[in-house]
Amino acid sequence: WLLDNLIDDRRLAEAREALEKLARIDHTFRTPLYRYLIAQAAGESEEMDECLGQLESLAESEWCCATTLGDIYTQRQEYDRAIAWYRKGQELQPSPKYTDSAMSIAHICEIRGDYRKAAETYDRIIDLLENEWGLTEETDSSVTVAKTKKARMLAKAEAARG
């Protein structure tokens, strides 16, 4: 959390120093991720693009990196790329798969006004909850919440049709 706080406080020189120390022991996607976040805070677009390229290379085999790229592209409002990375992350993720990526896709669909696609994505979420996690409406409220959100998206889709 040190790096996050240093970046949030715009203490970027200190963040770079801390990242170099981390990079000596952590050879995961976190190093280019934090380089990206520091470059973003500094407004260094060329460095940001270079770091994104590194992250994309790593994300081909690491689900957590792929979903993180989904988050980055969502923040950049590059929604098609975000959805592609969220899907890649879900594909790579071992079972039981989390619902976070699918939930993010549903939110993007809703932002775009594609309520039917959002409802279809809630079907995926319900499937994950029931079949990957063994949850039911009787055992966990998250199934009920997902079904309620799906119904809300279908109602919005009908209302949008006129």
Side-chain angles (χ1 to χ4, degrees):
W1 305 113
L2 172 64
L3 281 166
D4 296 293
N5 289 326
L6 290 171
I7 294 167
D8 287 346
D9 291 343
R10 297 294 190 252
R11 295 166 56 188
L12 303 182
E14 292 172 83
R16 284 186 171 101
E17 289 174 23
L19 179 57
E20 290 315 310
K21 291 177 184 174
L22 176 67
R24 289 187 212 123
I25 59 171
D26 185 336
H27 305 289
T28 68
F29 76 95
R30 285 175 196 83
T31 300
L33 170 62
Y34 278 107
R35 282 197 177 109
Y36 171 84
L37 294 173
I38 291 168
Q40 181 184 42
E44 299 167 347
S45 58
E46 286 182 30
E47 177 71 14
M48 288 169 59
D49 291 341
E50 183 179 316
C51 294
L52 279 178
Q54 293 171 2
L55 287 167
E56 287 180 359
S57 294
L58 293 169
E60 291 298 324
S61 60
E62 190 170 341
W63 73 268
C64 196
C65 184
T67 57
T68 298
L69 277 165
D71 294 342
I72 288 170
Y73 284 117
T74 298
Q75 291 169 351
R76 293 166 61 119
Q77 296 181 0
E78 296 180 40
Y79 295 131
D80 290 334
R81 292 177 102 175
I83 289 170
W85 283 113
Y86 286 133
R87 286 186 177 141
K88 179 71 173 179
Q90 272 201 320
E91 174 189 313
L92 293 172
Q93 187 178 23
S95 289
K97 296 177 186 293
Y98 300 125
T99 60
D100 302 56
S101 292
M103 190 70 70
S104 294
I105 292 169
H107 290 156
I108 289 170
C109 292
E110 184 176 7
I111 288 167
R112 288 177 154 178
D114 190 347
Y115 304 118
R116 289 229 178 265
K117 192 68 168 171
E120 290 172 16
T121 306
Y122 279 109
D123 280 333
R124 172 72 176 135
I125 293 165
I126 293 162
D127 179 63
L128 289 170
L129 292 169
E130 292 177 344
N131 297 313
E132 294 268 341
W133 293 93
L135 302 176
T136 65
E137 288 187 80
E138 292 77 29
T139 62
D140 195 280
S141 64
S142 57
V143 178
T144 304
V145 168
K147 287 181 178 182
T148 302
K149 288 182 178 183
K150 176 188 173 185
R152 187 171 57 84
M153 291 299 106
L154 290 172
K156 282 182 150 186
E158 284 302 310
R161 273 186 38 198

